[in-house]
Amino acid sequence: QVQLAESGGGLVQAGGSLRLSCAASGRAFTSYALGWFRQAPGQEREFVAAIGWIGGNTYYADSVKGRFTISRDNAKNTVYLQVNSLKPEDTAVYYCAAKVSPGYSSFYYYAYVYDYWGQGTQVTVSS
């Protein structure tokens, strides 16, 4: 079993920045990818970013390209999401997810391929 714990969310003004963290623990942790998704009230969960655990290739939703950066620290089993130039429409609960089963990177954009999820961290951007 793998546990994922997000942190770093909060209330920030438009244009501000946050650094979200997701620490993985549990059984000897290995994964193919870690991803960030978000869900705003009344909306479906949407892909934000993902990173290949071994090669470090990154993938982003068009809506966050150039503003968000995903990175990982393999030694700490932690993935980060640096969120800059925040907009009110970025307000959502941000979830970390781990994909521990093999698969093509083209599927990293889809929530259903991820095997474990964290509880989420709230990001609220005021205008």
Side-chain angles (χ1 to χ4, degrees), residues 15-18 38 60-70 81-90 94 125:
S17 299
L18 289 170
R38 65 187 182 185
Y60 295 96
D62 288 342
S63 60
V64 306
K65 281 181 181 177
R67 300 189 298 123
F68 291 10
T69 303
I70 189 171
L81 186 69
Q82 179 68 39
V83 296
N84 298 328
S85 303
L86 282 162
K87 305 174 182 179
E89 52 263 43
D90 294 317
Y94 283 69
V125 184

Side-chain angles (χ1 to χ4, degrees), residues 31-68:
S31 77
Y32 285 85
L34 284 177
W36 285 96
F37 289 75
R38 65 187 182 185
Q39 188 167 20
Q43 297 187 21
E44 294 186 354
R45 191 168 298 190
E46 66 171 355
F47 171 78
V48 175
I51 187 166
W53 194 244
I54 302 301
N57 292 338
T58 58
Y59 311 84
Y60 295 96
D62 288 342
S63 60
V64 306
K65 281 181 181 177
R67 300 189 298 123
F68 291 10

